[in-house]
Amino acid sequence: MLQVRHLSKVFFEQNDPRKPGLVALYDISLSVRKNEFVSLLGPSGCGKTTLIRIVAGLLPADRGEVLVNGKPVTSPGRERCMVFQQFGLLPWRTVLGNVEFGLEIEGVAREERREVSRKYLDLVGLKGFEDYYPHQISGGMQQRVGIARALSKKPDILLMDEPFGAVDAQTREQLQEELLKIWAKTDTTVIFVTHSIDESIYLSDRVVVMHSRPGCIKEEVVVDLPRPRWEGDIKADPRFAQLRARIRESLRA
Amino acid sequence: MAASLNNDDIIEELKLRREPAWSLSDHPNLIRAASVTVFLALWEIYGRRTDPLLLTYPTAVLRAALQLIWSGELLRQLLVSLASLAAGFGASLVLGVGLGLMMGRSRLAEAALEPHVNGLYATPQVALTPLLMMWFGLGFSVKVVIIFLFAFFPILINTASGVKNVSASMVEVGRAYMASERQVLLKVVFPAALPFIMAGVRLAVGRGLVGMIVAELFTAITGLGAMLTLYGNLFETAKMFVVIIVLGLLGVGLIQATQWLERRMARWKETERATQ
């Protein structure tokens, strides 16, 4: 489904764009299966956001390539949709208008995109909030709008860049659970950037541990916890604790 | 202690409810009306005792106004002025927003246009009037050009800086959803910059009005400005006051209309500010 091959990215100096500065990513190779939920975990500055942005086609790679269904990625595509850290909602559009945005760009007729958007708003639990403006609803709800907007395009790959980083802890847990439920219903592949160990274990099939300077993949940890994970208290499971200890060790080393 | 913790009950219990006393400061409209009345009365008294060549008085102005309205002269000249204002302002709106979007989006366009814009904007536009009259004559077109020059720059400069202020992440959202450059411009950049653009439009309305009068005073053939020159030469002070008052009302009306438009178009910004 998704393959990243020997990818490297260097950021050039701000005041001299010809001078190479920081190596953000060095020789990243990764492959993700269809329907897999993969987390990119690492400290800030490890290049995980850069990596997901390159996969999204928002940033060019300097060396190596990204293949989606065997085709190289050079720009954003309709099979990949992004959920942004700061939600990325357009403040002058209503909730419904924001969800419609992706379909509108694509040229879907008004009636149809309304209908599709309402369906996805319903899916993320925002029925009845169609006419609110983003600043009138909470951060958690804003990110649900962001998720509905991405899902409305029925992407093969959902790219999520620290989507729950800007919401409070309780809302975050609730959103994690809902994300898993939505993911179970739609068969999308998810790439999820986070710096929370618990979040990555709770959500993923596989955790890709990264370290910084230069940004590399240190280790891939398979999470073999049973699904669904929202029933009972999986975070109290001893296997969860083992994984947490192992990943923490890996991040520290 | 009350069993329920109802908000109103608590206020009652704390005895915080007071009967408001009548106070003059609660009725600003009353004060406004009184102030205007006193002003008009003093003007009337003083005006009647002054040489009518220098100053007139409210009732005389009213009489002159009725006369000018009756003869149709006021309406005719007002329409002539408004037509040139509409044409000049319309052109500055279209070109100002268009070029402003270009300058804000493209560094190339910015570098190419900047010296001309800064140079022309810094020059007092009134200084160009004699030249423009040589080029465009004394008719309708010279007025349109002068009004355009007065109103164009605030719109252009505000649009360009509004566009530059649109956050990169907002543009990125557009790109992530595969918007073309045109779509990014129309669906992301323009609406995001709209509050800035409207602020520029509000400035431009005032300046456009000044441009209109400057043009008409210079050319002195048609329009409200020409009426001012004409009645000034005839020493008909009351009629001059009528024109000045009409211009004042026009200014107030146009600014109000822009503010209304501004609130409507940038409603999200308004409510956003209110909740923060």
Side-chain angles (χ1 to χ4, degrees):
Chain A
M1 166 108 267
L2 173 78
Q3 271 166 320
V4 178
R5 286 189 190 151
H6 305 291
L7 189 90
S8 295
K9 175 76 188 172
V10 174
F11 284 123
F12 287 71
E13 297 282 345
Q14 194 96 87
N15 41 17
D16 186 359
R18 277 158 299 190
K19 202 168 145 201
L22 188 77
V23 179
L25 294 171
Y26 177 63
D27 199 29
I28 302 272
S29 291
L30 176 70
S31 98
V32 178
R33 293 187 311 274
K34 190 167 163 41
N35 287 354
E36 202 178 7
F37 198 125
V38 173
S39 284
L40 305 177
L41 176 75
S44 39
C46 71
K48 53 195 193 299
T49 290
T50 306
L51 178 55
I52 204 167
R53 278 162 50 91
I54 293 174
V55 173
L58 290 169
L59 210 62
D62 289 317
R63 294 286 179 265
E65 59 182 352
V66 176
L67 301 172
V68 172
N69 297 324
K71 287 194 202 96
V73 163
T74 50
S75 63
R78 64 149 304 145
E79 75 289 350
R80 285 159 286 138
C81 278
M82 184 91 161
V83 175
F84 297 87
Q85 190 175 359
Q86 297 298 334
F87 320 136
L89 301 184
L90 308 175
W92 56 89
R93 283 179 174 240
T94 59
V95 164
L96 187 66
N98 267 289
V99 179
E100 276 181 65
F101 182 73
L103 297 167
E104 191 180 318
I105 294 293
E106 218 180 296
V108 176
R110 193 187 179 87
E111 285 308 311
E112 193 190 336
R113 64 175 194 251
R114 286 262 153 104
E115 196 182 317
V116 175
S117 302
R118 281 181 204 280
K119 190 180 113 196
Y120 283 98
L121 274 176
D122 200 11
L123 182 72
V124 298
L126 281 182
K127 205 187 181 108
F129 288 93
E130 289 86 350
D131 297 328
Y132 283 67
Y133 283 92
H135 66 270
Q136 294 172 314
I137 59 177
S138 69
M141 288 161 90
Q142 290 187 41
Q143 192 55 294
R144 287 165 203 251
V145 177
I147 293 171
R149 176 176 62 187
L151 290 174
S152 72
K153 300 232 332 173
K154 295 205 181 74
D156 297 335
I157 305 176
L158 190 60
L159 303 169
M160 306 183 87
D161 181 14
E162 290 193 46
F164 308 146
V167 300
D168 63 86
Q170 263 177 310
T171 311
R172 187 171 187 157
E173 282 196 15
Q174 199 185 341
L175 285 170
Q176 288 168 357
E177 185 181 325
E178 280 173 37
L179 175 63
L180 284 184
K181 287 178 178 167
I182 289 167
W183 176 63
K185 270 188 253 177
T186 56
D187 48 12
T188 38
T189 308
V190 182
I191 316 261
F192 191 99
V193 166
T194 179
H195 56 238
S196 155
I197 300 176
D198 278 26
E199 185 168 67
S200 67
I201 301 170
Y202 178 65
L203 295 172
S204 327
D205 296 319
R206 190 149 50 104
V207 177
V208 175
V209 183
M210 295 179 68
H211 75 103
S212 48
R213 286 165 197 264
C216 305
I217 292 176
K218 186 177 273 177
E219 188 183 11
E220 294 186 15
V221 179
V222 173
V223 179
D224 47 7
L225 297 171
R227 289 185 191 271
R229 293 185 186 157
W230 56 81
E231 283 158 9
D233 191 357
I234 194 126
K235 286 178 189 171
D237 192 298
R239 282 174 296 179
F240 196 100
Q242 271 167 19
L243 283 165
R244 185 193 286 136
R246 164 142 184 240
I247 291 172
R248 184 169 292 149
E249 192 58 39
S250 174
L251 277 170
R252 209 174 281 158
Chain B
M1 191 67 207
S4 72
L5 284 174
N6 182 289
N7 196 56
D8 287 343
D9 292 344
I10 296 171
I11 288 170
E12 208 58 62
E13 186 200 314
L14 297 175
K15 298 195 179 16
L16 280 170
R17 219 178 281 288
R18 290 179 205 129
E19 273 307 309
W22 193 90
S23 154
L24 191 62
S25 54
D26 289 338
H27 298 83
N29 279 333
L30 213 64
I31 302 169
R32 286 185 190 115
S35 168
V36 172
T37 313
V38 169
F39 171 75
L40 287 175
L42 287 176
W43 181 10
E44 183 81 30
I45 294 164
Y46 183 72
R48 279 175 186 272
R49 292 163 154 204
T50 314
D51 184 346
L53 282 183
L54 296 177
L55 187 68
T56 180
Y57 44 92
T59 44
V61 174
L62 191 67
R63 206 178 316 126
L66 290 174
Q67 211 181 326
L68 287 173
I69 293 169
W70 225 231
S71 68
E73 186 185 355
L74 187 64
L75 187 67
R76 198 176 62 241
Q77 303 291 28
L78 178 67
L79 287 179
V80 170
S81 289
L82 283 179
S84 56
L85 185 65
F89 191 78
S92 61
L93 192 65
V94 171
L95 278 172
V97 172
L99 288 176
L101 286 174
M102 266 174 67
M103 276 179 79
R105 277 306 274 168
S106 141
R107 282 195 191 180
L108 201 79
E110 193 191 5
L113 292 171
E114 207 179 21
H116 305 283
V117 170
N118 287 347
L120 259 178
Y121 187 44
T123 315
Q125 268 94 45
V126 192
L128 297 171
T129 331
L131 253 185
L132 293 171
M133 281 164 66
M134 273 166 42
W135 294 340
F136 296 98
L138 297 172
F140 184 72
S141 50
V142 74
K143 290 206 267 180
V144 173
V145 173
I146 293 171
I147 293 166
F148 168 79
L149 277 177
F150 269 76
F152 173 65
F153 293 102
I155 299 179
L156 174 77
I157 288 165
N158 264 50
T159 304
S161 67
V163 169
K164 274 191 267 182
N165 258 291
V166 176
S167 71
S169 64
M170 207 85 95
V171 173
E172 183 156 86
V173 170
R175 291 219 300 120
Y177 282 89
M178 295 170 70
S180 61
E181 175 64 18
R182 210 181 91 101
Q183 282 174 317
V184 167
L185 205 62
L186 289 180
K187 291 184 191 289
V188 180
V189 173
F190 180 72
L194 199 55
F196 268 81
I197 298 174
M198 286 309 294
V201 167
R202 185 155 33 91
L203 285 174
V205 166
R207 286 176 52 101
L209 212 56
V210 174
M212 178 185 92
I213 290 305
V214 166
E216 289 176 347
L217 284 177
F218 269 94
T219 58
I221 293 176
T222 52
L224 295 172
M227 274 176 90
L228 271 181
T229 317
L230 173 70
Y231 291 118
N233 291 340
L234 295 174
F235 297 107
E236 293 212 43
T237 322
K239 286 185 176 168
M240 286 175 76
F241 266 98
V242 174
V243 177
I244 290 166
I245 289 168
V246 167
L247 284 171
L249 292 176
L250 194 60
V252 171
L254 285 174
I255 301 257
Q256 291 276 329
T258 344
Q259 278 172 345
W260 175 81
L261 204 66
E262 200 173 346
R263 273 197 302 275
R264 251 190 84 84
M265 286 196 168
R267 192 173 279 163
W268 58 276
K269 198 88 189 173
E270 201 69 27
T271 41
E272 196 170 54
R273 224 177 291 131
T275 49
Q276 269 166 3

